[in-house]
Amino acid sequence: MIKACLFDLDGVIVDTAKYHYKAWKKMANSLGFDFSEKENEQLKGVSRMDSINLILGWGGITLSEADKAKWASQKNDWYLEYLQKMDKSEILPGALELVQELKEKGYRVALGSSSKNAVLALSKVGMLHYFEAIIDGTKTTRSKPDPQVFEMGAAALDCKPSECIVFEDAESGVEAAIAGGFYAVGMGSPDNLGKAHLVLSSLEGVSIDDILVKITIS
Ligand code: B16
Ligand code: MG
């Protein structure tokens, strides 16, 4: 029986993926190269330092660990400039309604994000209070596709993975959920999220009962 839902943040609850992309692009451009939206797809769900390593690889650039840390911090400053301006309008369609429905129906709800800015982003859009547990990049030691973030979320809610549904927009996040024995709902395209139990293009108008029927559990 499903008792809990674990939500990724960027790309599931809020539309911050575009800001991560803009900030990383600014860094790449400052270093004299660019990268595509297709390449950016590979950064979703990936931690800040793993992301910078991938991006520098695409640009054929080698930096010292100290310089990498400096650029990662600069990228975060740019990202925070976007984040500070966010409000409720950047909650993705249907996300707030689904979380509210879950709470009303007695499901447990937690966050499972790679971001170290998750609490700030949730506060900016007024959704922090819905989450009983926040597992984010400040608490994990291993990046998605490692299931650690969701395992910690399930443990915090005192649930087994088989009692939880994970909502994820990143291929690495869907892989993490499947590897951990969770039900996975992919948010986006079946082209890269096909391993999920169900793929949805949006949460708009979606209720938990629809999801339970579609993943054939109850
Ligand atoms: P930060 P999620 C992830 O969040 C993003 O998808 C990814 O693009 C970002 O690099 C990562 O968080 C780390 O974010 O630099 O804010 O710590 O999708 O797992 O909620
Ligand atoms: Mg995400």
Side-chain angles (χ1 to χ4, degrees), residues 7-14 16-17 20 43-46 112-114 144 167-173 187:
F7 289 87
D8 172 51
L9 178 72
D10 294 320
V12 173
I13 299 287
V14 281
T16 41
H20 281 294
L43 303 178
K44 291 186 176 174
V46 175
S113 166
S114 304
K144 300 167 187 176
F167 292 79
E168 252 297 344
D169 70 316
E171 191 170 349
S172 60
M187 298 305 309

Side-chain angles (χ1 to χ4, degrees), residues 17-38:
K18 62 186 181 203
Y19 297 140
H20 281 294
Y21 183 37
K22 278 188 178 189
W24 281 129
K25 229 172 148 49
K26 219 164 165 175
M27 181 198 80
N29 294 169
S30 306
L31 291 166
F33 68 101
D34 204 0
F35 65 97
S36 66
E37 264 186 70
K38 196 163 174 251

Side-chain angles (χ1 to χ4, degrees), residues 123-217:
S123 309
K124 294 301 287 182
V125 301
M127 284 188 70
L128 186 60
H129 62 287
Y130 289 112
F131 294 86
E132 279 179 68
I134 307 254
I135 311 298
D136 63 13
T138 65
K139 296 185 177 144
T140 55
T141 52
R142 299 190 296 276
S143 246
K144 300 167 187 176
D146 189 289
Q148 184 192 35
V149 65
F150 300 126
E151 287 169 349
M152 288 174 74
L157 299 181
D158 206 17
C159 291
K160 296 184 199 125
S162 60
E163 295 170 330
C164 304
I165 303 175
V166 168
F167 292 79
E168 252 297 344
D169 70 316
E171 191 170 349
S172 60
V174 167
E175 284 170 3
I178 300 292
F182 295 84
Y183 285 96
V185 175
M187 298 305 309
S189 160
D191 295 348
N192 63 332
L193 305 179
K195 289 179 193 150
H197 295 85
L198 170 69
V199 180
L200 299 171
S201 56
S202 155
L203 290 175
E204 191 162 20
V206 173
S207 82
I208 184 62
D209 297 335
D210 299 333
I211 293 171
L212 291 176
V213 167
K214 286 186 183 144
I215 58 181
T216 60
I217 46 175

Side-chain angles (χ1 to χ4, degrees), residues 89-141:
S89 66
E90 296 195 63
I91 298 174
L92 285 162
L96 175 62
E97 291 78 3
L98 178 61
V99 169
Q100 284 172 333
E101 183 199 3
L102 289 167
K103 300 294 285 185
E104 278 159 22
K105 292 187 171 169
Y107 290 92
R108 316 285 306 271
V109 174
L111 193 84
S113 166
S114 304
S115 178
K116 293 184 168 158
N117 297 299
V119 169
L120 176 63
L122 283 176
S123 309
K124 294 301 287 182
V125 301
M127 284 188 70
L128 186 60
H129 62 287
Y130 289 112
F131 294 86
E132 279 179 68
I134 307 254
I135 311 298
D136 63 13
T138 65
K139 296 185 177 144
T140 55
T141 52

